[in-house]
C-alpha cells in the first residue's frame, strides 16, 4: 500500500502497516506505553509527515508532546489498545521485561556524530561515547549560538565534539526529560530525574543508574547527567596504589579486636572507596559488621546498614547498637561531637571501629578530635591507625602519556585514553599509627607540631607522590593539583630527604 493510499483512508487496522522497529523506537518506550501511541509510518523523505497510531486521537496535549519530540508533522490514526500494545511489544520486545533503557554498543565501532541525526540517535551515541570513555558526568550547556558538551573523566572535564546544536538541542533535552519522567512542558524550574540503563556490549551487560538534573539558564535548559554503576565494584585494596609498608600496616590493624581506624582526606580523595575495600576484606562469617550512616550513600554488599541521626545522642545509639553484639562497627563519617563520642565509646567497649574523617593529613585527626571536644586521653587510648590519601590520574601506558600513537610518520589519537594522555586513577597514601611514645604525647596535650616532629614517618603523601612521578605512574602536574610538592619545613607534607635517597 502506498503512502498516499494510507493517508487517505478513513479506517485503519494495524495490519495495514508494515511495522519497523527503528521507526517505532524513535519515541521513548515509557512515553508510548503511558500515552498509548505508536509510530506507524515515517513518510519522511517527501512529506515530512509521521503517521502515528493513537488511542485518544482527540487528545491535543499528547499530540503536541509527540510533535515536540519528533519535530515532524503528525497525522494521528485511531487504533485500539490491543493493536497499539501489540505494535509496541513488537518494537520494544528486547526492553520490555525491564524498566531499563537498553543501549546496544559495538565497542569497536567509532562513533561519528553527524549533523542530521535524530534525537534518539544523538542521545544513544552521546551516552555510548560517555560510557565508553568511563565518564562519570555529562554536562550539556546552552550558549547564545552554541551548545557545549563536556564529559568528566577521572575527575577532570573534557570538551567533546558534539552533534548538539541550537536546532536539535530542544528535541534531545525533550527526549532526556521524557525518558527520566520529568515534566516536558516545564522549562522554567529546576528538575531532577533518574534513568536506568542496560549498557550492552556484545554479551556483557553493565547496569547503570543515571541521575539527571535540569537547570533553566538564560539561553535554554542546561543538563547534567551523572552516571553511576548500580553495582559497586569493590577492588581489593592492594590495587588502590598503596605501598607494601602501608598494605602490611592496614592488614595488621584489621585483625584488631578494638580501636579506631580512620580513612581521611578531602572530598573526592577516594577515602570511601578505600574504606569499602577494607570492609570487604574483613567481611567474613567470623565477623559481625554493622554500618551506621547518616545518610546511607551506597549499598555495601552483605552488611547491615542503619541510617541514624547522630543528634539522637551517643547514649541512645550506644544502647541500640552495641547490644547487637557487633565485632566491627562502621561509622559513615565522624563529623560532629556525637559521632566522635559514639566511635570512642564503641571502641573502648571492645569493638573495632572504621570511619572516615575530613582532614588534610593522617596526623591531623588528633586536632580534629580536639576540635570536636573529645578528651585527649580517649584519643590516645583508642586511635590505632589513620590512613590519609589523595587521588591522581595515571599516565596512559599505551601512549606514555602523550595522547598520540606514532606510526612511522603518522600520528593518531591513542585509542586507550582517547587522546587525553591519562587513564584511570591511583591513590597517594600516608599512614599514622601512634606508638607508646606518641600516645603519651597525645595524652599530655602536646601540640600537633610537636607530635609531627616526633613521629618518624618516611612515607608521607609527598614521598608517595615523588615515587609515583619517578616511576612515570603519574606526572608532577597531576600531583601538584592535590598536594604541595615544594613544601617547606613548617608544612605538613615535609619530606625526609634521607628517606628519598634511600629509595
Ligand atoms: Zn593513551
Amino acid at each position: 500500500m502506498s503512502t498516499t493510499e494510507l493517508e487517505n483512508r478513513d479506517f485503519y487496522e494495524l495490519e495495514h502497516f508494515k511495522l519497523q522497529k527503528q521507526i517505532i523506537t524513535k519515541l521513548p518506550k515509557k512515553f508510548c506505553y503511558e500515552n498509548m501511541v505508536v509510530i506507524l509510518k515515517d513518510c519522511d523523505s517527501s512529506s515530512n509527515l509521521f503517521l502515528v497510531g493513537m488511542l485518544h486521537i482527540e487528545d491535543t496535549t499528547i499530540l503536541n508532546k509527540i510533535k515536540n519530540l519528533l519535530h515532524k508533522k503528525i497525522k494521528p490514526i485511531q487504533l485500539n489498545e490491543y493493536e497499539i500494545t501489540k505494535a509496541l511489544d513488537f518494537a520494544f520486545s528486547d526492553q520490555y521485561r525491564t524498566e531499563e533503557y537498553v543501549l546496544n554498543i559495538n565497542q569497536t565501532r567509532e562513533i561519528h556524530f553527524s549533523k542530521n541525526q535524530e534525537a534518539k540517535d544523538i542521545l544513544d551515541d552521546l551516552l555510548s561515547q560517555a560510557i565508553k570513555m568511563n565518564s562519570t558526568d555529562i554536562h550539556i550547556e546552552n550558549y547564545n549560538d552554541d551548545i557545549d558538551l563536556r564529559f568528566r573523566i577521572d575527575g577532570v572535564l573534557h570538551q567533546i565534539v558534539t552533534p548538539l546544536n541550537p536546532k536539535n538541542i530542544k528535541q534531545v533535552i525533550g527526549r532526556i526529560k521524557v525518558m527520566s519522567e520529568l515534566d516536558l512542558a516545564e522549562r522554567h524550574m529546576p528538575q531532577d530525574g533518574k534513568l536506568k540503563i542496560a549498557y550492552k556490549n556484545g554479551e556483557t551487560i553493565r547496569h547503570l543508574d543515571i541521575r539527571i538534573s535540569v537547570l533553566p539558564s538564560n539561553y535554554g535548559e542546561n543538563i547534567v547527567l551523572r552516571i553511576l554503576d548500580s553495582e559497586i565494584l569493590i577492588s581489593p585494596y592492594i590495587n588502590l596504589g598503596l605501598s607494601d609498608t602501608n598494605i602490611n600496616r592496614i592488614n595488621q590493624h584489621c585483625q584488631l579486636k578494638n580501636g579506631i581506624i580512620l580513612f581521611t582526606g578531602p572530598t573526592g580523595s577516594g577515602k570511601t572507596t578505600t574504606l569499602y575495600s577494607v570492609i570487604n576484606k574483613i567481611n567474613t562469617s567470623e565477623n559481625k559488621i554493622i554500618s551506621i550512616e547518616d545518610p546511607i550513600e551506597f549499598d555495601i554488599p552483605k552488611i547491615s546498614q542503619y541510617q541514624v541521626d547522630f543528634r539522637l545522642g551517643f547514649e541512645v545509639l550506644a544502647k541500640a547498637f552495641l547490644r547487637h553484639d557487633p565485632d566491627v562497627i562502621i561509622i559513615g563519617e565522624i563529623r560532629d561531637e556525637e559521632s566522635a563520642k559514639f566511635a570512642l565509646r564503641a571502641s573502648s567497649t571492645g569493638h573495632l571501629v572504621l570511619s572516615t574523617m575530613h582532614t588534610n593529613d593522617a596526623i591531623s585527626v588528633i586536632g580534629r578530635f580536639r576540635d570536636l571536644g573529645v578528651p585527649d586521653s580517649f584519643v590516645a587510648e583508642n586511635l590505632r591507625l589513620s590512613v590519609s590519601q589523595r587521588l591522581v590520574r595515571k599516565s596512559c601506558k599505551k601512549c606514555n602519556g602523550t595522547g598520540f600513537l606514532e606510526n612511522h610518520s603518522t600520528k593518531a589519537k591513542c585509542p586507550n585514553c582517547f587522546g587525553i594522555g591519562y587513564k584511570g586513577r591511583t591513590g597517594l597514601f600516608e599512614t599514622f599509627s601512634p606508638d607508646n611514645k606518641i600516645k603519651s604525647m597525645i595524652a599530655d596535650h602536646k601540640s600537633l607540631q610537636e607530635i609531627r616532629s616526633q613521629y618518624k614517618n618516611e612515607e608521607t603523601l609527598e614521598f608517595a607522590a615523588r615515587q609515583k612521578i619517578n616511576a612515570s605512574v603519574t606526572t608532577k602536574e597531576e600531583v601538584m593539583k592535590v598536594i604541595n610538592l615544594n613544601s617547606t619545613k613548617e608544612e605538613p607534607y615535609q619530606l625526609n630527604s634521607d628517606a628519598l635517597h634511600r629509595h
Side-chain angles (χ1 to χ4, degrees):
M1 202 177 299
S2 79
T3 304
T4 347
E5 259 179 90
L6 266 173
E7 280 175 41
N8 295 332
R9 286 174 72 98
D10 296 324
F11 173 75
Y12 298 90
E13 280 178 7
L14 192 61
E15 62 197 33
H16 295 146
F17 302 92
K18 189 169 179 290
L19 299 176
Q20 283 177 280
K21 270 190 193 185
Q22 71 267 33
I23 302 237
I24 296 176
T25 54
K26 283 182 197 289
L27 282 174
K29 175 184 134 195
K30 206 170 173 78
F31 177 84
C32 293
Y33 279 101
E34 274 178 10
N35 298 295
M36 277 291 118
V37 297
V38 58
I39 307 177
L40 298 169
K41 192 151 176 88
D42 166 11
C43 318
D44 187 32
S45 52
S46 55
S47 61
N48 197 30
L49 182 78
F50 269 32
L51 304 186
V52 177
M54 292 177 70
L55 181 62
H56 307 289
I57 199 161
E58 71 294 340
D59 190 332
T60 49
T61 321
I62 299 178
L63 205 60
N64 285 334
K65 281 185 185 172
I66 300 171
K67 281 181 190 162
N68 269 335
L69 284 166
L70 297 173
H71 276 239
K72 300 270 185 206
K73 283 185 204 149
I74 305 295
K75 182 177 166 62
I77 283 168
Q78 177 80 58
L79 289 180
N80 66 35
E81 193 170 349
Y82 170 77
E83 289 175 310
I84 295 174
T85 310
K86 194 173 157 191
L88 292 176
D89 286 356
F90 155 75
F92 294 109
S93 56
D94 52 341
Q95 303 179 19
Y96 189 55
R97 268 167 247 101
T98 147
E99 273 303 297
E100 288 173 317
Y101 181 70
V102 179
L103 210 55
N104 273 301
I105 306 302
N106 180 352
Q107 195 75 19
T108 50
R109 182 175 75 94
E110 265 291 318
I111 291 172
H112 287 294
F113 293 125
S114 68
K115 273 193 177 157
N116 303 316
Q117 276 176 308
E118 306 258 352
K120 176 189 184 294
D121 299 333
I122 293 175
L123 191 60
D124 282 5
D125 278 358
L126 202 144
L127 286 169
S128 308
Q129 185 71 353
I131 296 166
K132 235 167 107 170
M133 292 173 84
N134 275 328
S135 316
T136 50
D137 305 81
I138 301 171
H139 294 245
I140 302 171
E141 277 142 28
N142 287 270
Y143 294 101
N144 191 15
D145 50 1
D146 198 16
I147 308 295
D148 233 19
L149 174 66
R150 289 182 294 171
F151 293 169
R152 191 180 292 281
I153 303 163
D154 293 329
V156 179
L157 280 172
H158 295 273
Q159 193 91 37
I160 303 293
V161 178
T162 172
L164 297 171
N165 57 50
K167 280 184 189 159
N168 63 23
I169 186 71
K170 281 197 184 120
Q171 282 168 268
V172 174
I173 289 182
R175 189 169 170 89
I176 296 173
K177 282 165 113 181
V178 169
M179 285 165 71
S180 53
E181 294 179 60
L182 297 180
D183 184 350
L184 192 62
E186 178 57 75
R187 294 211 178 92
H188 302 287
M189 296 287 282
Q191 295 191 69
D192 290 317
K194 267 186 199 171
L195 178 63
K196 279 184 182 296
I197 282 193
Y199 176 91
K200 257 166 110 172
N201 181 17
E203 289 303 298
T204 24
I205 301 184
R206 263 173 83 194
H207 298 277
L208 301 159
D209 286 327
I210 301 197
R211 298 217 186 122
I212 291 135
S213 157
V214 185
L215 207 56
S217 78
N218 46 346
Y219 292 121
E221 289 171 292
N222 293 341
I223 289 206
V224 176
L225 300 111
R226 165 151 288 193
I227 305 169
L228 301 157
D229 261 298
S230 34
E231 302 118 47
I232 330 172
L233 299 167
I234 300 178
S235 54
Y237 56 78
I238 50 168
N239 294 342
L240 299 178
L242 287 150
S243 68
D244 290 346
T245 314
N246 286 333
I247 288 175
N248 290 336
R249 204 166 266 176
I250 294 176
N251 281 343
Q252 280 168 17
H253 286 87
C254 284
Q255 318 278 329
L256 294 174
K257 294 291 169 215
N258 58 54
I260 298 178
I261 300 177
L262 291 172
F263 298 88
T264 79
T267 309
S269 59
K271 56 183 186 283
T272 311
T273 307
T274 310
L275 171 66
Y276 283 171
S277 56
V278 171
I279 295 168
N280 207 34
K281 157 109 176 169
I282 58 177
N283 192 9
T284 63
S285 56
E286 291 165 24
N287 279 325
K288 171 161 176 166
I289 304 178
I290 63 169
S291 174
I292 306 175
E293 291 157 81
D294 175 27
I296 295 173
E297 286 184 50
F298 297 99
D299 288 339
I300 316 175
K302 292 184 187 159
I303 302 274
S304 304
Q305 291 172 275
Y306 302 94
Q307 166 134 11
V308 300
D309 186 346
F310 280 100
R311 287 170 302 182
L312 285 173
F314 78 98
E315 286 296 344
V316 176
L317 294 172
K319 204 172 165 189
F321 290 104
L322 301 185
R323 285 186 186 165
H324 254 242
D325 191 28
D327 299 291
V328 180
I329 297 175
I330 297 150
I331 299 172
E333 186 187 352
I334 295 180
R335 58 161 172 253
D336 50 25
E337 193 183 340
E338 296 300 346
S339 48
K341 281 186 176 166
F342 177 70
L344 286 153
R345 167 75 163 265
S347 158
S348 57
T349 50
H351 306 90
L352 183 64
V353 177
L354 307 185
S355 188
T356 67
M357 212 184 227
H358 198 99
T359 68
N360 275 333
D361 65 2
I363 290 186
S364 296
V365 298
I366 301 166
R368 184 84 181 114
F369 274 124
R370 285 176 178 167
D371 291 344
L372 296 176
V374 175
D376 281 336
S377 57
F378 270 34
V379 179
E381 202 180 303
N382 291 288
L383 178 65
R384 300 284 182 270
L385 177 70
S386 153
V387 180
S388 185
Q389 74 176 91
R390 297 290 187 281
L391 281 181
V392 290
R393 289 184 297 168
K394 289 196 281 188
S395 301
C396 174
K397 281 182 189 159
K398 186 131 188 166
C399 61
N400 294 320
T402 59
F404 290 96
L405 295 181
E406 276 184 73
N407 192 2
H408 304 296
S409 57
T410 55
K411 243 184 172 186
K413 220 183 220 186
C414 170
N416 189 43
C417 64
F418 300 92
I420 295 169
Y422 293 100
K423 172 111 182 180
R425 288 192 279 185
T426 186
L428 307 174
F429 291 91
E430 71 174 19
T431 54
F432 167 63
S433 55
D435 55 16
N436 288 336
K437 186 179 161 197
I438 300 289
K439 279 181 189 166
S440 55
M441 285 183 82
I442 300 171
D444 290 343
H445 320 296
K446 297 291 184 210
S447 74
L448 266 191
Q449 222 168 356
E450 284 174 274
I451 296 170
R452 204 168 260 138
S453 67
Q454 285 301 309
Y455 182 66
K456 296 280 172 269
N457 186 19
E458 291 170 356
E459 293 196 19
T460 59
L461 284 173
E462 181 165 346
F463 175 81
R466 289 199 189 277
Q467 281 213 317
K468 288 193 175 176
I469 295 169
N470 290 342
S472 299
V473 172
T474 187
T475 62
K476 192 173 174 189
E477 295 72 46
E478 193 56 21
V479 167
M480 296 288 276
K481 290 182 193 167
V482 288
I483 60 170
N484 183 1
L485 269 189
N486 306 308
S487 58
T488 59
K489 289 208 170 208
E490 285 75 39
E491 281 175 300
Y493 311 122
Q494 180 196 340
L495 181 70
N496 180 336
S497 60
D498 292 344
L500 188 62
H501 289 301
R502 276 202 300 277
H503 286 265

